[in-house]
Amino acid sequence: MKRTMLHYLVEVADPKGHYFDVQLQVEIPLSKLQGAQADRWVDLTLPAWIPGSYLIREFARNILYVKSTVNGAESVCAKVGKDHWRVHLDAAMVTSAHSSVLLLCHWRVYAWDLSVRGAHLDDTHGFFNGTSLFLCPTGLENSHIELIVSRPGENLVDWVVACGLPSQPGTLKDAHGCPVLKAGGQVKFTAPDYDSLIDHPIEMGALEVESFEALGVKHVFAVYGADKDLDLQRICIDMKPVCEAQIALFEPDHKRAPFDTYWFMLHAADNGYGGLEHRNSTALLFNNAELPQRGVEKAPKGYEGFLGLCSHEYFHSWNVKRMKPAAFVPYDLTQENYTRLLWIFEGFTSYYDDLMLARAGKLDEAGYLKSVGRTIAQVMKGPGRLNQSVADSSFDAWTKYYRQDENAPNSIVSYYTKGALVALCLDSAIRQQTAGKKSLDDVMRLMWQRKGLTGKGLHEDEFATLVEEATGIDLQQQLQQWTHSTVELPLSDALKTYGFSLAQSPGEEAVYLGLNGQFKPEGMLVKQVINGSPAHVAGVSAGDVLVAIGGKRLTEGNYKRLLASARPGENFDVIGFRAERLMEFAVRAGEAASNEWLIEKLDKPGHKVVPCPWQNR
């Protein structure tokens, strides 16, 4: 039986207006049509969210219209849901057909979302995720797919296309294997099914491209928007051992990656930060000023953060793209997919991202420990960790973590950061109880064999059993406590295992008020108030604009001087506005509460230390 094929055409239609035009052509067997003989139809839907970003994003809002023909005759295409269109076929269309009907649909998509999740188009480049562009006929998700990207026009600069999908044999490519899209030309790709199609984003434009090989796998780095002096070769040199370390972690014997080629697609922006993982690629957004320059030996301050972002997304190639919660097998892209396990799939990835930099020699011990200290600070800075477990944080990702408001520090904890600290405690416990013979690495390798290579999802109560099987250690009670309660994690004990101490360090501020704000010409706009803090007790609220404190105008400079010189217990009269209403607050300064954490080597540990995980090479 002939397999149905979906033919998609994406046209760079109006870059100045930021519009892609998309066309779908498919010959649909009569048996695949929906409805009864007298009333048949084809449903078309667009995903409501994109895997890796757990929020209903309503991508369909950017579709201007959908039009269709059946067997060359215009047909009614009605919107029947927020991301759901229905093409109606009259009886004559069906009865005149032999065994199938030819459906042709076209629609226009507005693409002006400069993020890793959506679509963006202008005169200089185009970027899209398939979840933003490709309507799919219901029941044909497993069809083979042909994708053509077209760029009409004349006298245009050639665009380079970065995409993990295989291109048509004979396609013109650059020196690194990227297809070249000429003015008036097209590039053709293939995908085995719809799920694969939407898991391969495309970046195209006047890209700067470099490539490197890591354990026999080609890695391509394609960059849009960078300064002309970007040292892309240095980035490739730095990422090569990191990629090799990750491949070797999961496949220590064969050192075999789960892909033939990997694509880093970086949009270097004036500001911004983000990354989204895909099965053989990642889309990245990072500050241009923090990337290395040719001829400048010292890298910018934020460059280690960029390498950590790349390491994080690359680690996802195993952890969440192939090993994933059972709730994601398969994804239901029409609605929320609830799981309490993101502390493993996002949090453990956050633990390993900098850890792999250290193992690859791209982050020294001091830098690594400073990074761990920052993660501890992020978790400990707000009372949200005392109100929400990391498992509940995962479950509530759709409604809380990705929709944070002014009360977020008081109500939620991040499954990224606290999940990373759970991994730290778990790794330490395994190493301590096995005298360093086993580690979290063994757990990840077993999970790769059982889940990643088989495509089976991890069930909600299954992880502790995997830990015991991989290490011989029963940590079910500890894992339950660390992840399903709000009890503080044993971070000091975890670091003591390796011969290090953990302590808070004094901050620059002499007192604590408990509010976060943004300074504007008229004063401080209060963004957040911490529960139980002096500001909370005094009645200060998010949204208030504070204009004076202690008899002086509230400027950023005056505020910093006050925090540095005041004494706990000192009272301050604060004047501000809530909307148009004048407000007065009596704020009593509290004891200074530093949120800086130092990790230092113990001179005399008093016990036999276990080798540190960041020193594994």
Side-chain angles (χ1 to χ4, degrees), residues 167-187:
S167 56
Q168 183 183 40
T171 300
L172 178 64
K173 297 183 179 181
D174 73 356
H176 303 281
C178 296
V180 177
L181 181 57
K182 290 184 170 293
Q186 61 183 36
V187 174

Side-chain angles (χ1 to χ4, degrees), residues 279-341:
R279 64 187 65 185
N280 69 345
S281 65
T282 179
L284 305 165
L285 179 68
F286 202 79
N287 189 342
N288 198 17
E290 299 298 332
L291 299 173
Q293 299 169 275
R294 285 193 303 272
V296 180
E297 183 177 351
K298 186 176 181 181
K301 184 178 180 181
Y303 180 53
E304 284 182 354
F306 172 70
L307 294 179
L309 174 63
C310 293
S311 178
H312 182 99
E313 302 306 330
Y314 192 75
F315 197 86
H316 271 317
S317 302
W318 293 268
N319 197 33
V320 94
K321 290 312 300 181
R322 291 169 173 84
M323 304 185 298
K324 62 185 68 172
F328 291 175
V329 183
Y331 294 113
D332 180 351
L333 297 179
T334 68
Q335 62 183 355
E336 296 89 343
N337 294 191
Y338 292 104
T339 175
R340 286 185 164 84
L341 298 179

Side-chain angles (χ1 to χ4, degrees), residues 204-341:
M204 52 188 173
L207 310 180
E208 183 172 351
V209 184
E210 280 287 350
S211 59
F212 63 93
E213 188 174 289
L215 296 178
V217 174
K218 184 176 184 179
H219 292 68
V220 180
F221 227 110
V223 184
Y224 165 75
D227 292 338
K228 292 182 179 179
D229 62 352
L230 171 69
D231 193 347
L232 185 52
Q233 190 173 35
R234 175 175 179 173
I235 294 175
C236 289
I237 290 172
D238 287 340
M239 281 305 301
K240 174 183 171 71
V242 179
C243 295
E244 290 178 338
Q246 294 195 21
I247 295 170
L249 169 67
F250 288 99
E251 294 275 5
D253 296 327
H254 303 292
K255 295 182 173 57
R256 184 171 49 221
F259 38 74
D260 297 323
T261 307
Y262 190 88
W263 302 75
F264 292 95
M265 301 176 217
L266 168 64
H267 188 157
D270 293 332
N271 57 61
Y273 179 91
L276 191 63
E277 68 276 2
H278 299 277
R279 64 187 65 185
N280 69 345
S281 65
T282 179
L284 305 165
L285 179 68
F286 202 79
N287 189 342
N288 198 17
E290 299 298 332
L291 299 173
Q293 299 169 275
R294 285 193 303 272
V296 180
E297 183 177 351
K298 186 176 181 181
K301 184 178 180 181
Y303 180 53
E304 284 182 354
F306 172 70
L307 294 179
L309 174 63
C310 293
S311 178
H312 182 99
E313 302 306 330
Y314 192 75
F315 197 86
H316 271 317
S317 302
W318 293 268
N319 197 33
V320 94
K321 290 312 300 181
R322 291 169 173 84
M323 304 185 298
K324 62 185 68 172
F328 291 175
V329 183
Y331 294 113
D332 180 351
L333 297 179
T334 68
Q335 62 183 355
E336 296 89 343
N337 294 191
Y338 292 104
T339 175
R340 286 185 164 84
L341 298 179

Side-chain angles (χ1 to χ4, degrees), residues 406-467:
E406 66 280 354
N407 197 45
N410 300 312
S411 62
I412 69 171
V413 68
S414 167
Y415 52 78
Y416 285 91
T417 51
K418 188 171 181 181
L421 297 183
V422 170
L424 173 70
C425 294
L426 177 59
D427 201 3
S428 174
I430 294 171
R431 291 170 185 265
Q432 191 271 328
Q433 293 189 42
T434 63
K437 294 178 181 178
K438 296 289 183 179
S439 72
L440 185 57
D441 294 355
D442 296 287
V443 180
M444 300 305 288
R445 279 192 284 267
L446 180 61
M447 188 160 67
W448 171 243
Q449 295 294 322
R450 294 287 175 80
K451 304 300 179 180
L453 293 178
T454 65
K456 297 178 181 178
L458 182 71
H459 293 283
E460 299 293 302
D461 58 353
E462 194 177 1
F463 184 69
T465 302
L466 274 179
V467 172

Side-chain angles (χ1 to χ4, degrees), residues 191-209:
D193 51 39
Y194 183 77
D195 181 64
S196 179
L197 175 70
I198 62 174
D199 202 18
H200 288 87
I202 287 183
E203 176 76 71
M204 52 188 173
L207 310 180
E208 183 172 351
V209 184

